[in-house]
């Protein structure tokens, strides 16, 4: 027996997990959120914040996120926290610098300057993207289950998705087919989508709908947060606790308790008594939930039809603290750095997604340093090893930022297990990881990109929202991996809807609540 019981226990601290917990708390469910051993985005060294993950709020323009903010009655407050990026991103390559500003007239001039030979094709492409994203907004505004599970859910969701292009029979269309093979504009379109997706596929090999949607997320106006993922997480945790939920990010569940084929609770690490729960939501794959339950309660259908997940690529992140003199002022907050190709592509020289962040200054003046967060998609088995990746990232950046090396202060990655490099004295000093607060003594796992076999709903889906054990739900990157952040939001909304629909009293309360939701 247990003396503690929650309506819902949420495992994880990702966007999907936090949004699900916030929605259910708002709907008067008693919610417990456990961090499940996942670490925050930042860790510290000296007076600087270093980063485990790159984060761009690509879902800010999504109707799924707007719907979440509307239900939480936080749209005006959240809007005050954000600011627009201009340019939205920059692509730096050999002898080429292309900005993508939010002003369409300026963007047209940029294309005319850099790519006059394909100007008409670019106009046609963005006309197609505008059509796709307009239809997608209409579909994702619908209160449907993504991806659907039951017959009625499939009927409802297919009706919402009926007008979406480049799905089903059109799913193999090449949106970039009018560009010459190897043309650099192909890379400008595909690179942002590749880094935004949770699917392990080259940008041009993404499902065409996903390619259009993800590139649209980068080009329809990006709203940024001053402290990135940490600020978004704090905002959502505030909402959970404001509505009576509990957040224990330092705790984890070591087991799922199953009785009569349904989840009944969890066992927290270090606790002798179990914690009861009517539902368990996780941002980890279904296989992880099955392992926590020691194989108990898995349905026959899940054993027979569950998609196979694998991952051979991870997000390797390097933080660099650099003196301002080493970074050109025009460098955008978001950039993609393409290494020079001398003859043919070198697999040991990765393309880098680079973010420029300004650390807060205690004096209120402009800080003399900048923090660069460099992210590469690193195959776990390939010519470039994890131990070599840090130096390879710096080498790629050095090509476009020639004064970088003379102004480096700190270089570190949590993923390779190597010491932190401290250049503040003028010479490289290696600091063992045990002396880096908030960082573990060994290498930390990278965020995974997923390969799904077979792919799920409309080639966008992976695992179902309902977990392999009755009473469990999935809201992580493996549910709708092709759609990136927006996929996590759709999964979170779908799980919250399914759980709410299972409680008639709270379903009635939610209908009544709509008359009290924000009107500003």
């Amino acid at each position: 027996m247990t003396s503690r019981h929650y309506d819902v226990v949420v495992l994880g601290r990702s966007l999907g997990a936090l949004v699900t917990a916030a929605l259910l708390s708002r709907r008067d469910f008693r919610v417990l959120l456990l961090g499940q051993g996942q670490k925050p985005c930042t860790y510290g060294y000296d007076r600087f914040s270093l980063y485990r993950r790159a984060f761009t709020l690509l879902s800010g323009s999504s109707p799924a996120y707007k719907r979440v903010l509307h239900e939480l009655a936080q749209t005006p407050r959240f809007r005050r926290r954000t600011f627009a990026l201009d340019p939205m991103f920059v692509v730096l390559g050999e002898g080429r610098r292309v900005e993508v500003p939010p002003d369409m007239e300026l963007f047209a001039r940029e294309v005319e300057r850099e790519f006059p030979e394909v100007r008409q094709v670019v106009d046609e492409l963005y006309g197609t993207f505008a059509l796709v994203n307009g239809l997608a907004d209409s579909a994702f505004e619908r209160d449907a289950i993504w991806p659907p599970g039951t017959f009625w859910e499939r009927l409802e969701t297919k009706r919402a998705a009926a007008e979406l292009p480049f799905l089903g029979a059109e799913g193999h269309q090449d949106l970039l087919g009018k560009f010459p093979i190897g043309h650099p504009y192909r890379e400008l379109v595909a690179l942002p989508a590749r880094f935004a997706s949770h699917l392990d596929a080259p940008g041009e090999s993404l499902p065409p709908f996903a390619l259009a949607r993800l590139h649209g997320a980068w080009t329809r106006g990006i709203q940024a947060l001053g402290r990135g993922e940490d600020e978004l997480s704090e905002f959502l945790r505030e909402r959970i606790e404001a509505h009576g939920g509990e957040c224990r990010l330092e705790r984890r569940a070591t087991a799922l308790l199953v009785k009569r084929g349904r989840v009944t609770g969890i066992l927290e690490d270090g606790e002798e008594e179990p914690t009861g729960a009517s539902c368990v939501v996780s941002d980890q794959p279904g296989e992880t939930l099955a392992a926590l339950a020691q194989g108990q309660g898995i349905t026959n259908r899940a054993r027979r039809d569950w998609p196979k997940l694998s991952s051979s690529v991870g997000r390797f992140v390097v933080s660099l603290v650099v003196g301002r003199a080493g970074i050109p002022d025009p460098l955008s907050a978001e950039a993609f750095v393409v290494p020079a190709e001398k003859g043919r592509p070198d697999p040991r020289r990765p393309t880098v997604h680079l973010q420029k962040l300004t650390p807060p200054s205690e004096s209120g003046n402009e800080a003399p340093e900048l923090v660069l967060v460099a992210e590469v998609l690193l195959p776990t088995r390939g010519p470039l090893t994890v131990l070599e990746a840090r130096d390879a990232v710096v080498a790629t950046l050095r090509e476009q930022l020639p004064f970088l090396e003379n102004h480096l202060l700190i270089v570190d990655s949590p993923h390779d297990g190597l010491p932190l490099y401290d250049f503040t004295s003028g010479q490289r000093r290696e600091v063992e990881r045990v002396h880096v607060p908030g960082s573990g003594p060994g290498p930390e796992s990278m965020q995974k990109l997923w390969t799904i076999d077979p792919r799920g709903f409309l080639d966008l889906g992976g695992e179902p929202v309902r977990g392999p054990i009755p009473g469990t739900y999935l809201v992580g990157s493996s549910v709708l991996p092709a759609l990136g952040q927006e996929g996590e939001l759709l999964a979170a909304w779908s799980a919250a809807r399914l759980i709410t629909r299972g409680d008639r009293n709270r379903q009635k309360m939610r209908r009544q609540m709509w008359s009290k939701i924000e009107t500003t």
Side-chain angles (χ1 to χ4, degrees):
M1 294 293 293
T2 175
S3 57
R4 297 171 298 179
H5 188 277
Y6 295 86
D7 298 313
V8 183
V9 173
V10 181
L11 307 180
R13 62 188 304 162
S14 69
L15 178 63
L18 289 166
V19 166
T20 306
L23 287 172
L24 292 174
S25 297
R26 169 71 172 167
R27 297 175 188 180
D28 204 33
F29 286 82
R30 191 165 181 233
V31 175
L32 170 65
L33 176 75
L34 302 179
Q36 204 59 13
Q38 299 169 20
K39 297 186 177 181
C41 181
T42 57
Y43 60 101
Y45 176 74
D46 196 9
R47 66 183 188 280
F48 302 108
S49 292
L50 307 180
Y51 290 76
R52 290 185 169 88
R53 299 181 288 275
F55 176 81
T56 308
L57 186 61
L58 295 175
S59 57
S61 61
S62 167
Y65 196 58
K66 291 177 182 177
R67 186 168 52 187
V68 169
L69 290 177
H70 188 67
E71 178 158 337
L72 298 178
Q74 292 295 307
T75 301
R77 183 180 172 214
F78 190 79
R79 189 184 298 124
R80 289 193 294 269
R81 288 173 174 252
T82 61
F83 58 93
L85 292 187
D86 186 4
M88 296 176 287
F89 66 91
V90 173
V91 177
L92 303 173
E94 189 173 9
R96 195 186 298 273
R97 181 181 189 276
V98 184
E99 288 189 355
V100 180
D103 186 295
M104 292 304 297
E105 185 175 340
L106 293 178
F107 178 56
R109 292 180 192 171
E110 191 79 357
V111 173
E112 185 66 39
R113 177 177 62 85
E114 291 287 346
F115 308 103
E117 71 281 4
V118 292
R119 169 65 191 274
Q120 183 177 350
V121 179
V122 171
D123 289 345
E124 292 177 9
L125 179 68
Y126 282 93
T128 300
F129 284 174
L131 173 65
V132 172
N133 283 290
L135 293 172
D137 284 348
S138 297
F140 294 154
E141 283 173 353
R142 303 276 289 273
D143 187 12
I145 303 297
W146 297 85
T150 66
F151 171 80
W152 292 111
E153 289 169 6
R154 286 194 295 273
L155 193 66
E156 176 186 51
T157 307
K158 284 185 177 180
R159 188 181 298 122
E163 295 185 7
L164 293 181
F166 308 123
L167 295 172
E170 300 179 87
H172 300 289
Q173 187 165 336
D174 183 6
L175 295 181
L176 306 179
K178 292 187 178 181
F179 292 92
I181 298 297
H183 194 278
Y185 206 89
R186 283 177 170 264
E187 201 162 45
L188 188 145
V189 174
L191 268 182
R194 167 75 161 139
F195 277 90
S197 179
H198 298 317
L199 195 65
D200 180 12
E204 295 185 30
S205 299
L206 287 168
F209 174 81
L211 175 64
R213 190 63 176 167
L214 294 172
H215 188 78
W218 281 99
T219 55
R220 295 201 297 167
I222 298 178
Q223 299 298 313
L225 291 162
R227 294 188 295 110
E229 183 183 339
D230 281 347
E231 186 170 352
L232 180 60
S233 297
E234 288 174 13
F235 169 77
L236 291 170
R237 291 204 307 272
E238 286 175 7
R239 293 298 90 210
I240 295 167
E241 293 170 349
H243 294 290
E246 294 184 39
C247 297
R248 303 177 192 166
L249 296 181
E250 73 286 352
R251 304 300 296 272
R252 65 185 301 159
T254 57
L256 288 187
L257 307 180
V258 179
K259 186 175 181 180
R260 296 177 183 173
R262 184 180 175 85
V263 69
T264 59
I266 62 160
L267 184 64
E268 273 191 66
D269 189 18
E271 297 286 341
E272 294 184 359
E273 290 190 0
T275 298
S278 301
C279 301
V280 173
V281 179
S282 174
D283 63 5
Q284 296 298 297
E287 190 173 309
T288 303
L289 282 182
L292 285 174
Q294 297 184 340
Q296 298 182 42
I298 302 175
T299 64
N300 292 331
R301 182 177 180 180
R303 293 182 188 275
R304 183 183 67 248
D305 299 332
W306 201 261
K308 180 182 178 182
L309 260 67
S310 60
S311 176
S312 59
V313 175
R315 298 181 185 271
F316 183 89
V317 175
V318 181
S319 296
L320 306 94
V321 180
V322 186
R324 281 184 177 273
I327 304 299
D329 289 337
L331 181 65
S332 172
E334 297 280 349
F336 296 91
V337 183
V338 182
E341 296 182 4
K342 299 175 181 178
R344 58 181 180 178
D346 184 353
R348 294 174 59 83
R349 298 295 299 277
T351 297
V352 177
H353 170 212
L354 184 67
Q355 296 181 309
K356 182 182 73 173
L357 308 175
T358 303
S361 174
E362 295 180 359
S363 64
N365 299 322
E366 191 176 70
E369 306 92 2
L370 294 170
V371 177
L372 302 181
V373 182
E375 174 191 28
V376 300
L377 304 181
L378 183 67
T380 53
R381 294 182 181 179
L384 182 64
T385 68
V386 173
L387 296 178
E388 299 169 317
R390 186 188 300 191
D391 291 337
V393 168
V394 175
T396 296
L397 296 181
R398 195 186 299 123
E399 291 178 358
Q400 297 296 328
L401 307 172
F403 301 108
L404 175 71
E405 198 158 19
N406 296 331
H407 297 273
L408 274 179
L409 300 175
I410 294 169
V411 179
D412 187 53
S413 173
H415 303 309
D416 54 18
L418 297 175
L420 176 146
Y421 298 160
D422 186 335
F423 296 91
T424 53
S425 64
Q427 300 292 325
R428 188 173 96 175
R429 181 170 66 92
E430 297 188 356
V431 181
E432 295 299 327
R433 305 218 64 78
V434 293
H435 301 300
V436 181
S439 176
E444 299 178 10
S445 60
M446 299 182 285
Q447 282 188 321
K448 297 177 179 179
L449 300 188
W450 301 108
T451 299
I452 312 291
D453 184 25
R455 285 191 188 176
F457 185 65
L458 301 177
D459 268 353
L460 305 174
E463 296 186 302
V465 173
R466 292 178 178 84
I469 302 164
T472 63
Y473 300 87
L474 305 179
V475 295
S477 60
S478 60
V479 177
L480 287 162
L483 295 179
Q485 272 183 26
E486 188 170 44
E488 294 181 65
L489 290 172
L490 291 170
W493 184 273
S494 299
R497 183 188 176 195
L498 290 172
I499 293 169
T500 305
R501 197 166 63 185
D503 189 312
R504 291 185 178 181
N505 291 330
R506 288 188 175 88
Q507 193 173 8
K508 180 180 178 182
M509 183 210 72
R510 182 174 176 247
R511 287 196 297 268
Q512 296 170 344
M513 185 177 68
W514 281 104
S515 62
K516 303 175 184 178
I517 287 179
E518 63 180 11
T519 58
T520 58

